[in-house]
């Protein structure tokens, strides 16, 4: 921190020196961004999948450089030894006593159960920026009042619409807040495979968002203090996805011959070449759309008035020797106002990089700057309802990976004698099986996996 001195008298200097004890000389001083900065030379290591490769233009690498400029006593090194499969790599580092000080964590309960993560509750409770995060975000990140994860990125999930396609077909353009029937009608009506136009890129997300769109009492994939996969809302979501797939309204389930009639080698090219009416994606895609889409598009979210958000998180190693500095680094790279303002400044100055998420803080200055840069009306409207958002819970919910995809069911589906929950759901959205016959079974299994990991983290 720079200090500007004025001329003082010899007596004043002497008085100041006498007043300072040896203890006070060793105490940390308050840094400009509100954290502790002792002035001690510190080296931190950080690992994340967001850093790309050395030498390429990368916003997060630029953010690390900016952090070190703001904190000249802290050197930050990227730990490239942590790589996919990420959790296995973290486990190996932990067993060898080589955990990075700060690291991206794919699933917080796994980190807690394995004692990889430092309890950061005292830091977030004293942090004004953290208190300005949406309440839904704070609640998703607490375990019996204890906080381990530090939000590093926030994305809004939902659908994007090619407005030109609908206007050219003299159809009503889908919009943020449309109801479920309007959504399914739009997908059906815009589809014309013979002319190389399809309604939807894929229907896999429908069983996940549908329950929250159909009922205020349910969250993503029905989650609300447990799963409700035997509910009418979940079964109806499967049926909607199945109808879209079996009627040929989704690109992913078309035959190879049918896909060959579209302009593009894959779904991304088909979208960019105006062959898809509505596409499921996240706010991370906005920079790509702005640079490459030659048609009028907008964000329309999910049917109804609920916004879906998802997050990435940093963990701080439970073995770090510099917890305060590590917290400041994670905050700078993630939710903190000072860091996010710098992130937007860099993205504005550097043509090779762009913002790939939305701000986490409910801060007027941050939001004004962001939406001056990112001109997507539907996204801004969706953000206005973020306090009541549905949180996609994979990274924070105990047992979610098992409950959604991995747990074996004992059910035979096609060539699979012991299909996972994910395979069973996929088969039902293809119309191969009737999900009602298995809903009670997979609901019990999903909640069993949830309870098992709850117990593993001491809940």
């Amino acid at each position: 921190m720079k200090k500007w001195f004025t001329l003082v008298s010899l007596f004043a200097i002497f008085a100041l020196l006498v007043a300072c004890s040896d203890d006070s000389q060793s105490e940390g001083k308050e840094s400009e961004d509100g954290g502790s900065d002792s002035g001690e030379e510190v080296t931190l290591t950080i690992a994340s999948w967001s850093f790309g490769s050395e030498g390429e233009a990368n916003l997060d690498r630029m953010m690390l450089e900016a952090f070190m400029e703001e904190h000249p006593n802290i050197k930050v090194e990227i730990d490239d030894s942590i790589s996919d499969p990420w959790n296995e790599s973290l486990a190996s580092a932990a067993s060898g006593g080589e955990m990075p000080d700060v690291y991206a964590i794919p699933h917080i309960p796994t980190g807690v159960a394995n004692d990889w993560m430092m309890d950061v509750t005292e830091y977030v409770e004293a942090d004004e920026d953290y208190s300005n995060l949406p309440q839904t975000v704070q609640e998703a990140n607490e375990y019996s009042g204890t906080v381990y994860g530090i939000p590093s990125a926030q994305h809004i999930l939902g659908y994007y619409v090619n407005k030109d396609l609908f206007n050219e077909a003299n159809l009503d353009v889908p919009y943020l807040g449309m109801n479920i029937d309007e959504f399914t009608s739009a997908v059906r009506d815009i589809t014309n495979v013979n002319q190389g136009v399809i309604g939807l890129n894929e229907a896999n997300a429908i069983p996940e968002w549908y329950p929250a769109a159909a009922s205020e009492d349910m969250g993503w994939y029905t989650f609300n203090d447990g799963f409700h996969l035997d509910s009418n809302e979940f079964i109806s979501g499967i049926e909607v996805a199945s109808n879209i797939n079996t009627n040929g309204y989704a690109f992913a389930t078309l035959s190879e011959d049918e896909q060959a009639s579209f302009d593009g080698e894959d779904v991304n090219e088909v979208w960019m070449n105006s062959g898809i009416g509505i596409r499921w994606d996240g706010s991370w895609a906005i920079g790509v759309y702005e640079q490459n889409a030659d048609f009028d598009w907008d964000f329309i979210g999910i049917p109804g008035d609920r916004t879906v958000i998802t997050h990435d998180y940093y963990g701080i190693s439970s073995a770090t020797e510099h917890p305060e500095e590590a917290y400041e680094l994670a905050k700078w790279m993630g939710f903190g106002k000072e860091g996010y303002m710098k992130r937007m400044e860099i993205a504005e100055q550097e043509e090779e990089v762009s913002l790939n998420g939305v701000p986490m803080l409910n801060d007027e200055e941050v939001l004004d700057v962001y939406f001056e840069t990112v001109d997507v009306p539907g996204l801004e409207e969706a953000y206005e309802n973020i306090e009541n958002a549905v949180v996609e819970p994979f990274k924070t919910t105990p047992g979610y990976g098992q409950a959604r995809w991995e747990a074996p069911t004992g059910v035979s589906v096609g060539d699979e004698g012991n299909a996972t929950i994910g395979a069973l759901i996929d088969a039902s959205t293809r119309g191969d099986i009737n999900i009602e016959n298995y809903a009670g079974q997979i609901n019990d299994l999903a909640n069993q996996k949830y309870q098992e990991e709850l117990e593993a983290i001491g809940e």
Side-chain angles (χ1 to χ4, degrees), residues 14-28:
F14 179 76
L16 178 62
L17 292 174
V18 171
C20 294
S21 68
D22 290 341
D23 288 340
S24 67
Q25 289 173 15
S26 64
E27 287 176 353

Side-chain angles (χ1 to χ4, degrees), residues 8-18:
V8 294
S9 69
L10 179 62
F11 293 107
I13 294 174
F14 179 76
L16 178 62
L17 292 174
V18 171

